[in-house]
Amino acid sequence: MAPPPPSPPRSLTSVSLRTPLSPLLFLRPASCNPSAVSGSCSSGACRGVRCSAANKPSPSTAPGTEVSSTSMAKIRSEVLSPFRSVRMFFYLAFMASAGLGTLIALTQLIPALSSPARAAAAGETLKGLGIDVAAVSVFAFLYWRESKAKDAQVAKLTREENLSRLRIRAGEGRPPVPLGELRGTARLVIVAGPAAFVTESFRRSKPFLKDLMERGVLVVPFSTDGNAPDLQFDEADEEEEEAAAAAGKMKRRLWQLTPVYTSEWAKWLDDQKKLANVSPDSPVYLSLRLDGRVRGSGVGYPPWQAFVAQLPPVKGMWSGLLDGMDGRVL
């Protein structure tokens, strides 16, 4: 009996890439050499970028496994603006009422204009017709403005949902988790640019590491040129860590988050670059609130001192009261 034919080899599917968030950024990170990618990058150049996972689709992209970003954004929009649907309903109701009044006025005006006996009532009919037309116009404008605001909010929340589903790794040997897992516990700052820019951002943050730690700030460094930034503490920092081991570890933890599935991060950043009309090679930063919404972004180095001045601590007597005082969203 002939053996069964071998099953056909499984074809590789293309990576399902995510869509955007608010005004930002830049260069697609240069891929590591395909020959260097083998389960885990052994070369030092790949250490900070997790090239081994760059071309693997995130588990969250599997169809049917979770609510889509747009659906979740619509739910969040309803929560953030609970009375918008009520206002839009009443605008439609008033438009329908005024439109019905317009039709009635027209049916009264045409006979009045065609018959001299009814010409005396034409003035009042014209006045009512003008009021009805004005009402339809006003409520149509209000409905259009509300609908436009809703669409803009849903589009923004969709971009934020896409951002929250990008994956990071919190330290060596730990499994990747969605960025959204840190909602309510950390204020994330995404630093994206060439490795030299990320290294300089790290150096500028050193004087504020303790204050940033108290405010729940965690940094996601994303190198766009494929090189690993130098995120090493100097000898003074090592001595300080020996004197206060717990604090030292916490300070190091501020820069331990690493983006994985970097092709998805690159796609998301490319979409932001197009929306913001920012030069492709411009290094940028993006800061998030505790609830995961965008509170600030810009080209250049993150304003660490401003973050310390503006953000309240996440612990202590004021933590619960000031959790929402992250600043207005963009």
Side-chain angles (χ1 to χ4, degrees):
M1 184 165 122
S7 59
R10 298 175 61 185
S11 61
L12 295 178
T13 57
S14 59
V15 178
S16 175
L17 299 179
R18 300 189 179 274
T19 38
L21 158 29
S22 72
L24 279 179
L25 330 139
F26 29 136
L27 281 177
R28 182 181 299 277
S31 303
C32 290
N33 235 332
S35 60
V37 180
S38 59
S40 64
C41 289
S42 57
S43 65
C46 298
R47 185 173 60 252
V49 187
R50 303 284 179 196
C51 303
S52 61
N55 294 320
K56 296 180 181 179
S58 161
S60 64
T61 60
T65 58
E66 62 179 20
V67 181
S68 68
S69 298
T70 303
S71 299
M72 185 60 69
K74 290 179 179 178
I75 294 172
R76 290 182 61 194
S77 178
E78 292 293 335
V79 173
L80 293 172
S81 304
F83 300 108
R84 173 175 287 145
S85 297
V86 177
R87 291 195 300 268
M88 294 178 71
F89 170 78
F90 279 110
Y91 292 155
L92 285 175
F94 294 151
M95 285 171 57
S97 177
L100 181 60
T102 300
L103 291 176
I104 295 174
L106 285 174
T107 59
Q108 294 175 349
L109 181 62
I110 294 174
L113 293 177
S114 60
S115 173
R118 300 181 181 179
E124 288 296 324
T125 304
L126 280 172
K127 181 178 178 181
L129 178 62
I131 293 174
D132 289 334
V133 170
V136 170
S137 302
V138 169
F139 289 118
F141 170 76
L142 293 175
Y143 181 87
W144 171 81
R145 188 179 65 174
E146 203 74 56
S147 179
K148 186 178 180 181
K150 179 181 179 180
D151 292 342
Q153 185 182 52
V154 169
K156 176 174 170 43
L157 291 175
T158 300
R159 295 193 295 268
E160 291 179 352
E161 278 298 317
N162 289 330
L163 173 62
S164 72
R165 299 183 185 202
L166 297 179
R167 300 211 162 219
I168 55 172
R169 194 189 307 276
E172 290 290 339
R174 296 190 178 184
V177 296
L179 208 66
E181 291 289 330
L182 299 179
R183 279 179 180 167
T185 60
R187 297 180 172 107
L188 299 177
V189 177
I190 300 171
V191 179
F197 167 78
V198 177
T199 301
E200 179 62 16
S201 298
F202 168 73
R203 187 189 68 80
R204 295 188 179 202
S205 73
K206 283 186 177 182
F208 310 102
L209 288 179
K210 182 179 178 181
D211 295 321
L212 293 171
M213 175 187 65
E214 292 175 351
R215 285 153 178 79
V217 174
L218 293 178
V219 183
V220 183
F222 184 76
S223 177
T224 59
D225 58 5
N227 298 321
D230 182 15
L231 307 180
Q232 300 295 328
F233 286 82
D234 52 30
E235 295 181 0
D237 296 314
E238 296 290 348
E239 295 175 359
E240 179 184 351
E241 183 176 354
E242 292 177 1
K249 290 179 181 178
M250 287 295 292
K251 290 178 182 179
R252 290 174 179 272
R253 197 175 303 168
L254 259 68
W255 286 83
Q256 278 189 352
L257 300 181
T258 307
V260 295
Y261 309 117
T262 52
S263 58
E264 296 184 6
W265 281 84
K267 170 62 177 175
W268 183 84
L269 291 172
D270 284 344
D271 289 334
Q272 309 324 303
K273 169 199 67 178
K274 294 175 183 177
L275 288 173
N277 294 320
V278 174
S279 174
D281 56 352
S282 296
V284 299
Y285 72 90
L286 177 74
S287 66
L288 306 182
R289 306 190 336 164
L290 276 174
D291 60 4
R293 304 194 67 189
V294 180
R295 73 174 294 270
S297 62
V299 177
Y301 298 107
W304 303 115
Q305 188 172 5
F307 291 161
V308 172
Q310 295 169 2
L311 299 174
V314 294
K315 294 182 179 179
M317 63 178 296
W318 300 107
S319 60
L321 179 63
L322 298 177
D323 280 351
M325 303 298 180
D326 293 49
R328 66 183 183 86
V329 296
L330 292 181

